[in-house]
Amino acid sequence: MSGSSTPAADGVPPGGGGVGPAAGSAAGPYRAPGTPAPQPFAWLRPSDPDRKAPATGRTVFAAVLTGALASWLLADGLGVNLLLCAALTAVGAGIAARAAGRRLRAWTVVWSALALALLAVPALYEAGWPVALSTLWAVGLASLALHGGRRWSGVLLALPGLLWQLVPALGWARKGLRGRGAVGRDRVVPVLKGVAVAAVLLAVFGGLFASADAAMADVLGSLVPSLELGEFPFRAALFVLGLATALGFAHIAAGPRRWDRTPVRPGRARGRLEWALPLGALNLMFGAFAVVQAMVVLGGGESVLERTGMSRSEYARQGFWQLLVVTLLTLVVVAVAKRWAPRGTEADRRLARLLLGALCLLTLVVVASALGRMWFYVDASGLTTLRLWVLAVELWLGVVFLLLIASGLTPSADWLPRAVVLSAALAAAVYGLIGPDALVAEQNVARFERTGQIDLRNVRSLSVDAVPALDRLPGDYRTCALNVVVPDLAQIGSTPWYAASLAGARARDILAERPAVDRLVGTEYACDRVGLRRGYSLGG
């Protein structure tokens, strides 16, 4: 073969037809001769697994059982059923990891324990946002536990790592079963036959026992979900979701991507003056803010307050949201500045640590000021779920800046990525396990007992988690606050045990003992009598 290329080889059809250069041109439409074709996913190659253990029959069987369990239990809501599905998923992943010869590591235990704690939230509380947040974090931490990782690329790409394993896992399972051939069938088919026979026997004898004894019928009714033809598409989707999720985790366990090996090019180091001048100016601005805050807090800022025309409490309550944005933007600035910091000499590195450390330290003043302002705001207007959420985020940001300061004081910062993710996971776990709606209701009721003031529109928007605290309100206040959850409790009362929460059961018991009956007196209902007239409708 000669070194010359033909039009067809260069991407041009014989005769010069098609889009691109004119006939006879030696170049293809998108690249010059000899240039390799672009590979958009080439960045993934360094993270390819060293080896991938094949799928075993037991792994696939565990995934099928997980799909069946998800289809059976998850259609009625989230509760203990999520923990049951997660346990079966963990069994399948454990089988795959053992087949791959992987060993249990300390960080795997840490991430798994946190994921387990987060999955307990749906079994404890009903509020939708904390349950969704905890579930998403649990899935991410489970993925991180199986992937491992210590660099920023390792932990940040491992958290959503399950998403790009769902489709490859199906092909991996199919290939594994096909490779086992008759041996695999000899093991799987008897198990499937046994399950089918057991299902038939349980259905027949369960039906007979249920028809013979009302108590037994009630027990079986609570254990077995009602199956209606209209639910079939939804349950089929849950089966596919459970199967794909279980296979995805098993696929990771059999040979995870090593995201730590993903190449990340360092930022181009800037000149000392170009880098230090804007950062020094920003430090001066933050320092001025810190001085003003100290003057106001220590009582020497009367002139500042006089010029603003605010009282001390009004000044404290103003500006929380702006300070939250300042904190977030500072985190971005620190990350960008660290990437572009001059690092050619020891003096450069010392200057970078000094300026970035000072900025992080001054940012803690911003965090403290923001938290103090929100505290005054809550004391004046009451706690809401949004205010509690942003308080939690601001506290976590303060922890992140403390970690950044600590990383600048240690010889190596290799521990920082995992520490930041650990702090975020702990914050999510604490936020979910304290029961945000219950805490908001408790604070508002305590404020009512202290001041006689309560935002009924706020507490009426809470979930049934708030019932134990709202039950302490007197008379019409209690009725107005609770009658909105009565329809929710009626729906919860028909929920099977595996999809119910502890908070829902407790609320149902409280209102069964002391119903919140809204009686019409003259032309007014309970909310009318306590001053909540606009935007009110009975039962919601």
Side-chain angles (χ1 to χ4, degrees):
M1 288 287 185
S2 65
S4 62
S5 59
T6 64
D10 290 330
V12 181
V19 179
S25 171
Y30 302 112
R31 60 185 185 275
T35 302
Q39 298 179 354
F41 298 105
W43 66 276
L44 287 173
R45 287 188 176 179
S47 65
D48 284 345
D50 297 325
R51 62 180 295 268
K52 176 76 71 173
T56 65
R58 288 184 296 174
T59 301
V60 176
F61 183 65
V64 172
L65 285 182
T66 303
L69 195 65
S71 174
W72 180 30
L73 300 182
L74 295 184
D76 297 301
L78 299 181
V80 182
N81 48 12
L82 202 58
L83 278 169
L84 296 175
C85 291
L88 198 51
T89 301
V91 169
I95 294 172
R98 185 176 180 181
R102 299 183 63 189
R103 295 179 299 171
L104 195 64
R105 299 180 183 273
W107 278 103
T108 303
V109 175
V110 171
W111 302 131
S112 300
L114 274 173
L116 185 64
L118 287 159
L119 286 177
V121 173
L124 297 176
Y125 300 107
E126 288 285 338
W129 165 240
V131 167
L133 179 68
S134 300
T135 303
L136 288 175
W137 260 107
V139 172
L141 289 176
S143 176
L144 180 56
L146 293 173
H147 276 101
R150 63 179 63 194
R151 297 176 57 200
W152 284 112
S153 59
V155 295
L156 294 181
L157 290 173
L159 284 170
L162 174 67
L163 295 179
W164 36 78
Q165 298 290 340
L166 297 177
V167 174
L170 297 176
W172 170 73
R174 182 181 178 185
K175 182 179 178 181
L177 290 180
R178 181 178 295 176
R180 296 180 65 84
V183 177
R185 288 195 296 271
D186 289 343
R187 293 183 177 181
V188 173
V189 172
V191 174
L192 294 177
K193 288 180 178 179
V195 170
V197 172
V200 171
L201 292 175
L202 290 175
V204 172
F205 285 94
L208 291 173
F209 280 125
S211 61
D213 187 88
M216 187 65 178
D218 183 64
V219 171
L220 291 177
S222 64
L223 291 175
V224 181
S226 58
L227 297 178
E228 299 179 4
L229 188 60
E231 295 180 349
F232 179 77
F234 180 51
R235 291 186 182 273
L238 286 176
F239 173 81
V240 173
L241 178 63
L243 174 67
T245 301
L247 285 177
F249 279 122
H251 188 239
I252 297 172
R257 280 194 171 275
R258 300 301 181 184
W259 294 113
D260 278 340
R261 299 198 296 241
T262 303
V264 178
R265 291 187 299 175
R268 182 172 65 88
R270 305 291 174 170
R272 184 182 298 184
L273 184 61
E274 177 188 3
W275 180 87
L277 185 60
L279 208 59
L282 191 60
N283 270 305
L284 290 176
M285 174 68 72
F286 274 64
F289 177 82
V291 170
V292 171
Q293 298 308 296
M295 290 172 59
V296 174
V297 170
L298 297 176
E302 297 301 332
S303 60
V304 176
L305 298 176
E306 288 175 5
R307 285 196 297 270
T308 61
M310 296 180 179
S311 68
R312 193 175 295 275
S313 60
E314 289 172 338
Y315 178 83
R317 291 197 299 267
Q318 181 253 356
F320 169 82
W321 298 103
Q322 293 91 328
L323 294 181
L324 177 61
V325 173
V326 167
T327 309
L328 291 169
L329 287 178
T330 306
L331 194 60
V332 175
V333 169
V334 170
V336 173
K338 181 71 171 67
R339 181 172 173 80
W340 289 346
R343 47 186 176 269
T345 65
E346 181 60 31
D348 287 337
R349 292 189 287 272
R350 190 181 303 113
L351 177 65
R353 286 197 298 269
L354 179 63
L355 289 178
L356 290 175
L359 184 59
C360 291
L361 193 61
L362 290 169
T363 305
L364 292 178
V365 177
V366 177
V367 171
S369 178
L371 292 174
R373 290 166 191 247
M374 179 54 78
W375 180 258
F376 276 100
Y377 194 15
V378 168
D379 186 62
S381 306
L383 187 63
T384 66
T385 51
L386 176 61
R387 292 166 193 165
L388 179 61
W389 166 245
V390 295
L391 271 172
V393 171
E394 187 71 30
L395 277 170
W396 174 69
L397 289 173
V399 172
V400 171
F401 280 103
L402 285 173
L403 292 172
L404 289 173
I405 294 171
S407 69
L409 299 175
T410 55
S412 172
D414 290 343
W415 54 269
L416 183 61
R418 286 191 292 200
V420 170
V421 173
L422 179 61
S423 68
L426 285 172
V430 171
Y431 178 78
L433 291 173
I434 62 175
D437 282 23
L439 183 61
V440 168
E442 182 65 37
Q443 193 277 341
N444 279 274
V445 171
R447 179 171 172 268
F448 175 81
E449 293 170 343
R450 187 176 67 253
T451 66
Q453 297 178 341
I454 188 170
D455 184 353
L456 284 171
R457 283 191 176 86
N458 172 26
V459 298
R460 280 167 58 84
S461 67
L462 301 175
S463 67
V464 298
D465 302 344
V467 169
L470 298 179
D471 184 54
R472 303 205 317 262
L473 291 172
D476 288 335
Y477 285 95
R478 176 184 182 273
T479 302
C480 179
L482 288 179
N483 64 16
V484 73
V485 304
V486 171
D488 295 335
L489 280 176
Q491 183 178 1
I492 292 173
S494 61
T495 302
W497 64 271
Y498 48 80
S501 69
L502 186 62
R506 188 179 179 188
R508 191 168 61 249
D509 293 341
I510 289 173
L511 290 181
E513 183 179 345
R514 296 180 59 206
V517 180
D518 197 358
R519 293 185 175 87
L520 183 66
V521 177
T523 60
E524 294 181 329
Y525 286 102
C527 287
D528 300 319
R529 293 191 290 273
V530 296
L532 185 65
R533 296 178 181 276
R534 292 184 295 273
Y536 163 66
S537 60
L538 181 62

